[in-house]
Amino acid sequence: MRVIFLAVAISAAAASSVPAAEDAHVRALAAGYKAAFLCSDVFNAGQTPEQIAADDLDGIYPEYQDLVRTLPARIDREARTVSVPFDEKMPPRIAAWRPGLGCSQLPIGASAEAVAGLPKLAARRPAANTDARAWPDGDGGIGPRPSKALAATVAKAFDGATFGPGSKTTAVVVVKDGRIIAEQYRADFTPYTPQRTWSAAKSLTATVVGRAVQLGFVKIEAPANIPEWPAGDPRRQITLAQLLHMGSGLWTDGPGNRTDEVYVGGALVTQTATAMPMEAAPGSRFRYANNDTLLAARSVRAALGDGQAALDFPFTELLWKIGMNHTTPETDWQGNYILSSQVWTTARDLARLGLLYQNDGVWNGERLLPEGWSRFVATPAPAQPAMGPGYGAFFWLYGPTQGLPEGTYGMNGNRGQYVMIVPDKKLVIVRRGYDPAGKRFDEAGFAKAVIEAL
């Protein structure tokens, strides 16, 4: 058995700053954070513990930062698990990898024996040689020759200054008229190095919903199918469209609705997102909330029967159809997709998703999304954010206010994950990063600069 033990302190200097008696639950969550990211970065992305410590485990939520640096971790490459002890009287926090589905966390208090019961993908992943097909179905024939102006603009995205002091760019892909015309990666990245999408995954959720609509499994204006809500529950009036608009009216613990219990605590989507009470009339307000995305994905899973077909659906009906063969959506330990954030994918795969929308849901002549679905996700929701870009259906809306063409829309995620779709220019711009907290990359400014360079 090949096992790697990480030292107690990735950054020994941080040890003195850890509180002597930190909250026990925060410690468990911090251990889950470390287990989850080490597992996904090692087994999804093939990164080293040193790379992970410098990127995904640095610049994170301050209440976890010092604990994540100092808690020990055990990487078992044979079993493909990561365990992080946090309490001598409790089992360690454990994250386990599965082909196609990436890493799933066991709940706090679960032992390693529970790994065997994690759900597994039944559908067969396409053979590796699919990468040899011509772009965009594969990666053949990609040979961008950007102009000097465009190459210089793309290079500036990596300087950590021009488009955001302190930002950390890892990848940029620019697609014009369906072709990759510019592409650049950080020195330790390749076109096949996936990163976590964070909230850019919400736009993938919109796409999964759209595919289910096209196939007749769900209706966008009908109430969401949430089995955990009993008959007579007023939440049963919330429609799928209202969830996509971030207009459920459900209570959240503040804007953004941090879902740490699911993301790093091993809790189930069906325990948490479904438990929020109604606070406002559905459709009457905009409240950005991870739970609305989790509920939309839950609704699709329920409509598909909650079984193996629902687990395989995003792969067989969407990802593999458009060449997103290096994308790994992760689940909780009962098989609910955590599609508000926990998807690992490459810059090229995100560009493919952008192209699907550029083509209004048609791929190789097959209509995957309903006609007009691109217009639907890019249409302002009934209730809008108080400031900044507008909001459609799990997509952010840009335009002249941000210095961009009317109708520009995009996928946004924490730490600098951006996909800008500019229909007027037949342009898709992908930027990936590990931006530390408070060091935001200017996605609109970069997109404007790319357009000007063209």
Side-chain angles (χ1 to χ4, degrees), residues 84-450:
V84 179
F86 67 98
D87 185 327
E88 62 182 12
K89 296 180 181 179
M90 295 277 284
R93 296 300 316 283
I94 298 171
W97 184 87
R98 301 143 301 157
L101 296 175
C103 293
S104 183
Q105 288 189 68
L106 300 184
I108 298 170
S111 61
E113 286 73 23
V115 170
L118 292 175
K120 297 178 176 62
L121 195 65
R124 293 184 60 187
R125 182 181 289 274
N129 63 10
T130 56
D131 290 339
R133 294 180 298 180
W135 168 267
D137 296 298
D139 296 311
I142 297 175
R145 294 183 177 181
S147 66
K148 289 183 178 180
L150 180 57
T153 298
V154 170
K156 287 178 181 178
F158 291 80
D159 66 18
T162 304
F163 297 105
S167 60
K168 296 169 62 176
T169 299
T170 55
V172 170
V173 173
V174 180
V175 179
K176 181 80 166 67
D177 297 321
R179 297 185 303 108
I180 294 179
I181 61 170
E183 183 176 35
Q184 185 172 330
Y185 297 90
R186 198 173 72 176
D188 57 344
F189 262 60
T190 78
Y192 302 106
T193 305
Q195 281 182 258
R196 180 172 168 140
T197 59
W198 293 91
S199 287
K202 292 177 171 65
S203 303
L204 177 60
T205 307
T207 316
V208 171
V209 171
R211 183 61 179 148
V213 171
Q214 174 67 14
L215 294 174
F217 291 112
V218 299
K219 295 182 179 180
I220 198 68
E221 297 299 339
N225 186 349
I226 309 296
E228 292 74 21
W229 293 346
D233 191 321
R235 296 174 297 178
R236 290 175 69 93
Q237 67 184 281
I238 300 169
T239 67
L240 200 47
Q242 287 165 343
L243 291 175
L244 268 67
H245 289 149
M246 296 293 186
S248 67
L250 296 176
W251 178 87
T252 70
D253 55 354
N257 170 217
R258 271 181 54 178
T259 43
D260 294 29
E261 302 301 330
V262 172
Y263 288 2
V264 297
L268 298 174
V269 168
T270 47
Q271 290 175 319
T272 55
T274 61
M276 299 300 105
M278 186 175 286
E279 183 180 52
S284 66
R285 73 170 188 197
F286 174 87
R287 173 68 64 84
Y288 187 80
N290 294 329
N291 283 337
D292 282 15
T293 312
L294 295 172
L295 289 170
R298 172 70 185 114
S299 184
V300 171
R301 186 187 187 210
L304 293 169
D306 272 349
Q308 191 66 50
L311 200 63
D312 294 346
F313 181 82
F315 294 91
T316 59
E317 289 298 335
L318 177 62
L319 299 176
W320 294 343
K321 282 181 175 289
I322 66 172
M324 291 183 69
N325 298 324
H326 300 279
T327 296
T328 305
E330 296 182 331
T331 72
D332 65 20
W333 58 277
Q334 286 291 295
N336 297 291
Y337 281 108
I338 308 176
L339 282 186
S340 56
S341 181
Q342 286 180 213
V343 178
W344 294 75
T345 190
T346 63
R348 285 183 182 176
D349 273 9
L350 283 178
R352 291 179 171 99
L353 187 59
L355 271 179
L356 179 65
Y357 279 89
Q358 192 76 266
N359 297 329
D360 191 34
V362 174
W363 197 271
N364 287 334
E366 180 183 4
R367 175 157 290 286
L368 301 181
L369 305 177
E371 186 175 358
W373 189 257
S374 297
R375 183 171 62 254
F376 167 69
V377 302
T379 297
Q384 286 291 302
M387 61 184 67
Y391 206 76
F394 290 166
F395 280 80
W396 291 92
L397 311 182
Y398 297 81
T401 301
Q402 293 80 31
L404 295 172
E406 191 73 50
T408 299
Y409 61 110
M411 318 172 199
N412 295 3
N414 188 32
R415 309 207 68 179
Q417 321 313 316
Y418 298 110
V419 182
M420 303 294 281
I421 302 168
V422 190
D424 183 55
K425 303 292 184 182
K426 295 184 178 180
L427 187 66
V428 177
I429 304 166
V430 180
R431 186 270 181 180
R432 310 299 307 276
Y434 288 115
D435 301 336
K439 306 293 184 182
R440 183 180 174 86
F441 184 85
D442 181 5
E443 78 280 11
F446 178 60
K448 180 182 178 182
V450 168

